[in-house]
Amino acid sequence: MAINKMVYMKLFRSFSIILMLVFTCLFCSCSKTSIPRPYGYFRVDLPQHSYRTIDTLNLPYRFDLPENVQLISRKVEGETNWIDLYYPKLNASIYCSFKPVKGNLINLLEDTRKIVYKHSVRADDISEQPFDNRDKNVHGILYELKGNTASSVQFVLTDSTRNFFRGALYFNNVPNKDSIAPMANYIREDVIRIMESFEWKR
């Protein structure tokens, strides 16, 4: 009888300890509040900026081309001297068009402005920064678009009398300002280099 009492006592103690551990775990788990984690994005390793001058094609202009860009010649509705600057690793392109100025500079500038401000529906802000290189007779505007816009950077360059060049950056995916911000800032530096090194060949 004494042995059975001892066995029961040991079982009762073991059961009590297990019960206390269960209640402690339940109590502790109920006291914590879960904190939602913010969305993350894949890290993109961006290469160092390096450039080469393009002057091999029969184009009426030249500029410093980023080394990690593929230059693609494009013809649209009989227009010539149009190019795409394609970033294969970033899935982005700067679409560039060229038009001769024939007394229609105001119209070309206004058309560009309309294209840029079509994005105002989605843009948080659109800024215009004038550009002027008198030594090379290159003048223009850098447009920066903030927010979930399809294009975050656009620009125009002209000599005011004969030549007009326009570029627009687009990513080949659904725009999300947070996920593409590092890449957009990276390409923005390339755009500035293009503008600063740009010159007319005729």
Side-chain angles (χ1 to χ4, degrees):
M1 206 62 182
I3 294 171
N4 284 343
K5 250 185 181 179
M6 285 177 66
V7 170
Y8 286 129
M9 288 298 288
K10 283 183 179 178
L11 285 171
F12 180 73
R13 282 183 189 165
S14 299
F15 181 72
S16 299
I17 292 169
I18 292 169
L19 208 57
M20 282 178 63
L21 285 171
V22 169
F23 280 120
T24 304
C25 288
L26 287 172
F27 179 75
C28 289
S29 65
C30 292
S31 65
K32 291 182 181 177
T33 56
S34 60
I35 300 170
R37 293 176 181 264
Y39 287 108
Y41 301 101
F42 291 110
R43 179 182 170 181
V44 179
D45 290 322
L46 300 170
Q48 290 290 323
H49 292 280
S50 59
Y51 304 91
R52 68 184 189 277
T53 302
I54 61 155
D55 198 11
T56 55
L57 302 175
N58 294 321
L59 297 172
Y61 49 82
R62 66 169 69 88
F63 57 84
D64 290 349
L65 181 72
E67 290 280 0
N68 58 331
V69 161
Q70 295 176 6
L71 189 146
I72 302 167
S73 183
R74 179 164 52 99
K75 290 187 178 180
V76 179
E77 297 175 1
E79 298 284 358
T80 57
N81 305 316
W82 288 32
I83 57 173
D84 296 340
L85 307 180
Y86 176 55
Y87 290 79
K89 290 185 178 178
L90 304 182
N91 198 24
S93 296
I94 302 174
Y95 298 101
C96 304
S97 59
F98 171 85
K99 286 184 176 286
V101 176
K102 298 177 180 177
N104 60 343
L105 180 61
I106 299 298
N107 292 337
L108 292 172
L109 289 169
E110 188 56 33
D111 287 346
T112 298
R113 187 175 168 78
K114 284 179 183 176
I115 290 168
V116 170
Y117 280 87
K118 275 184 181 178
H119 297 279
S120 61
V121 177
R122 301 292 301 270
D124 298 332
D125 181 47
I126 299 175
S127 64
E128 301 180 20
Q129 184 177 340
F131 174 78
D132 190 28
N133 187 335
R134 294 184 182 182
D135 293 337
K136 294 180 179 178
N137 194 22
V138 178
H139 319 282
I141 301 171
L142 173 66
Y143 296 95
E144 293 190 68
L145 301 88
K146 306 293 183 187
N148 287 327
T149 57
S151 175
S152 59
V153 176
Q154 298 197 22
F155 66 98
V156 293
L157 298 169
T158 183
D159 59 3
S160 303
T161 55
R162 300 179 63 186
N163 303 296
F164 185 87
F165 185 88
R166 178 179 177 275
L169 166 64
Y170 285 90
F171 286 89
N172 302 318
N173 50 29
V174 178
N176 182 318
K177 64 181 178 181
D178 295 323
S179 64
I180 67 171
M183 296 176 285
N185 290 333
Y186 176 86
I187 297 175
R188 178 186 174 277
E189 287 188 42
D190 288 345
V191 168
I192 291 171
R193 178 64 176 260
I194 289 168
M195 294 176 74
E196 290 176 344
S197 62
F198 199 97
E199 57 185 311
W200 311 107
K201 287 163 63 176
R202 60 178 186 230

